[in-house]
Amino acid sequence: MLILQMLRWPLQLPQNIVLVVFTVMAYILLAMLRHSSEVLFELMLLVLTPVFYGIFGMLALNGQLRLNDVARGRFTEPEYERTALNPFQSLMAAKLALLFVAGGALFLLPEPQLWLSVAAVVYPGLFLALVLEGSFRGMFNPALLWKLVKGLNLLYPVVAVMVSGSAGWLAYVLLFDQRFLSIAMSAGLFLLVHPLVGLLVFTCRGMLDLHTLDSPEQRRAAQALEEARTFDRLLEELQRLCGSGNVQQASTRLDVYLADKSFADDAQVHERLRSFQDSRLFLEHGFRYLRRLLERGENKKAWTLFKDCHAIDDRFRPSELASLLILTSTAEKADARLVESLLGDAKATYPGSEDIPEALFRQARINIELLKDGTRGLEILSQVIAGYPEFAASEAFRRYRARLRVNRKQ
């Protein structure tokens, strides 16, 4: 869609008017020069030069403005001021005309092929330096020219073909061809190339360190800044609600905010809530965040979150014993004492849960294998046998008991 907009650009206002005026006037002026006598040719050329400058300057300014707009991320056509395309009020038009004339003059040299080949490579760099920097100084700055070539990288040959090809064809037509259709086509291509080159420059904006009016990076940065401001305002509101004792309302407001972003900001919210004087919202969010992590299978991250919240309030637990068993299964050996304590509270914390025998069995194994407290471990196993005979009859339980007996005999 964007490319189509670029291709249609020379046919839209005001550039189509510029194209028609240039074509008609150039054809008439060149015909007048062609049919003038040798005596009057120099005088006619002197008289008509300002007119040539006016129509070419208008054409070049139109292209230059569009190239600059597209290169800096403004793809929609701006509303030009009345004098924006007036070459007699623009120093840029004079600079563009001088550069074009210097390049076109190479056609008049004897055997110009070598010079034109060199110019085809150098001209685009000079042209872009002038268009983007707006001064002749940039054209003669080797560091800037190298930056353009290096920044465009593999696209520089493409830019060279487009810029040198369009400018070279227009210069050739004005000097040697001078047919109406040739003038119209070469001028149309000259205009068309500018926004396309601008688009190539825009794609290399990072390497060129180009100041842009609009870009995906700027939009993302603006969006991130606005999101940060929204988040800060939310935190202020949550602080106020917690301060007035409306913790549940604050939690609901926070959930709505997180749900709108598919809970992508859970980790950031968790860290920011840590600074609240009232830890209740921190724990409330931690409880829900923990559930979401477990649902996504991020068990190690969930265990880290659990320990973080448990350090604030040692009563902090997931809603179900099954979730606690999943959490503790990812614990490191260094957490053995904490896990043993959590599993030891399972019967009181989750009364009636069908996973209590599994929790006791795991608690016993931790005591025996990690904490080296065999007496305590065997005592817990005896509680399982007495209180949960069905679980004690399971193969896993019986095999473990049998292995303990073998180890004791050895």
Side-chain angles (χ1 to χ4, degrees):
M1 192 65 184
L2 184 58
I3 296 295
L4 182 61
Q5 182 183 344
M6 300 293 162
L7 294 175
R8 286 194 336 228
W9 178 75
L11 304 177
Q12 299 170 339
L13 288 172
Q15 43 275 4
N16 55 4
I17 297 176
V18 170
L19 183 58
V20 170
V21 170
F22 176 84
T23 303
V24 173
M25 291 299 298
Y27 180 76
I28 293 172
L29 295 173
L30 291 169
M32 291 173 64
L33 285 173
R34 227 178 18 252
H35 293 94
S36 63
S37 64
E38 292 184 8
V39 177
L40 294 176
F41 180 82
E42 292 183 0
L43 179 61
M44 287 283 291
L45 183 61
L46 183 63
V47 171
L48 295 180
T49 294
V51 186
F52 270 117
Y53 168 72
I55 59 174
F56 176 78
M58 187 169 55
L59 184 77
L61 267 182
N62 199 16
Q64 179 265 336
L65 288 170
R66 187 60 178 150
L67 190 156
N68 238 321
D69 279 340
V70 175
R72 300 185 188 281
R74 186 164 61 184
F75 300 111
T76 55
E77 185 69 17
E79 293 293 332
Y80 291 118
E81 296 179 5
R82 189 177 297 275
T83 59
L85 300 180
N86 186 345
F88 297 102
Q89 296 184 1
S90 171
L91 189 58
M92 175 56 73
K95 296 172 183 176
L96 291 169
L98 283 173
L99 182 62
F100 179 77
V101 169
L106 297 177
F107 281 101
L108 302 177
L109 296 175
E111 299 183 359
Q113 291 82 0
L114 176 62
W115 295 106
L116 288 172
S117 299
V118 173
V121 177
V122 175
Y123 183 86
L126 300 176
F127 172 75
L128 285 178
L130 175 59
V131 169
L132 297 176
E133 293 294 316
S135 68
F136 272 131
R137 187 184 307 169
M139 292 173 53
F140 301 105
N141 183 344
L144 176 60
L145 293 174
W146 173 242
K147 183 178 179 180
L148 285 169
V149 173
K150 186 180 178 182
L152 288 168
N153 201 357
L154 296 177
L155 289 179
Y156 187 81
V158 179
V159 171
V161 169
M162 296 171 71
V163 172
S164 296
S166 61
W169 186 30
L170 180 60
Y172 176 82
V173 166
L174 294 177
L175 288 171
F176 304 113
D177 192 337
Q178 301 179 359
R179 290 176 297 174
F180 186 87
L181 184 59
S182 296
I183 295 173
M185 291 178 63
S186 60
L189 179 65
F190 182 82
L191 275 184
L192 175 62
V193 157
H194 284 77
L196 295 177
V197 170
L199 188 58
L200 294 178
V201 171
F202 180 74
T203 61
C204 301
R205 60 193 176 277
M207 292 294 294
L208 293 170
D209 291 330
L210 190 67
H211 169 70
T212 53
L213 301 170
D214 184 30
S215 68
E217 296 84 8
Q218 286 169 287
R219 288 194 292 273
R220 283 196 295 270
Q223 182 182 358
L225 183 60
E226 181 55 33
E227 287 176 355
R229 288 172 179 163
T230 301
F231 186 45
D232 287 339
R233 289 194 293 268
L234 172 69
L235 289 176
E236 290 176 6
E237 181 185 351
L238 296 178
Q239 289 249 34
R240 180 179 54 79
L241 288 171
C242 290
S244 59
N246 297 315
V247 177
Q248 193 56 48
Q249 185 180 347
S251 180
T252 302
R253 175 72 182 87
L254 180 58
D255 267 358
V256 170
Y257 170 81
L258 290 170
D260 285 342
K261 306 183 75 175
S262 301
F263 301 100
D265 289 346
D266 262 328
Q268 181 186 7
V269 167
H270 179 72
E271 288 304 314
R272 295 293 294 273
L273 291 179
R274 190 190 302 277
S275 63
F276 278 30
Q277 267 192 330
D278 191 331
S279 63
R280 287 178 296 173
L281 186 59
F282 174 81
L283 295 172
E284 183 69 28
H285 169 258
F287 179 81
R288 302 182 188 204
Y289 182 21
L290 181 69
R291 184 180 67 247
R292 290 190 281 269
L293 287 175
L294 290 172
E295 287 172 354
R296 294 199 297 263
E298 299 181 51
N299 297 340
K300 284 190 174 294
K301 188 182 290 188
W303 173 243
T304 301
L305 171 66
F306 172 83
K307 289 195 296 180
D308 199 19
C309 295
H310 186 267
I312 302 295
D313 185 347
D314 60 7
R315 296 170 300 173
F316 184 85
R317 299 286 191 283
S319 58
E320 298 174 349
L321 179 54
S323 298
L324 183 64
L325 291 174
I326 293 172
L327 282 173
T328 54
S329 68
T330 65
E332 303 283 339
K333 287 183 179 180
D335 295 324
R337 184 67 64 184
L338 172 60
V339 173
E340 198 278 338
S341 173
L342 293 170
L343 296 176
D345 290 341
K347 196 169 184 180
T349 307
Y350 304 98
S353 172
E354 60 183 18
D355 293 311
I356 289 175
E358 174 65 34
L360 292 173
F361 180 44
R362 191 178 297 179
Q363 182 192 10
R365 293 184 60 175
I366 289 172
N367 276 281
I368 294 169
E369 298 169 15
L370 298 179
L371 301 179
K372 307 304 179 185
D373 188 350
T375 303
R376 173 67 176 151
L378 291 173
E379 181 183 322
I380 296 171
L381 290 178
S382 298
Q383 292 176 21
V384 174
I385 295 171
Y388 305 95
E390 290 185 9
F391 184 85
S394 66
E395 184 178 355
F397 187 88
R398 287 188 291 105
R399 287 175 60 183
Y400 186 73
R401 287 274 293 166
R403 192 165 76 242
L404 286 179
R405 284 195 292 269
V406 170
N407 290 338
R408 280 203 302 273
K409 288 178 182 178
Q410 292 176 347

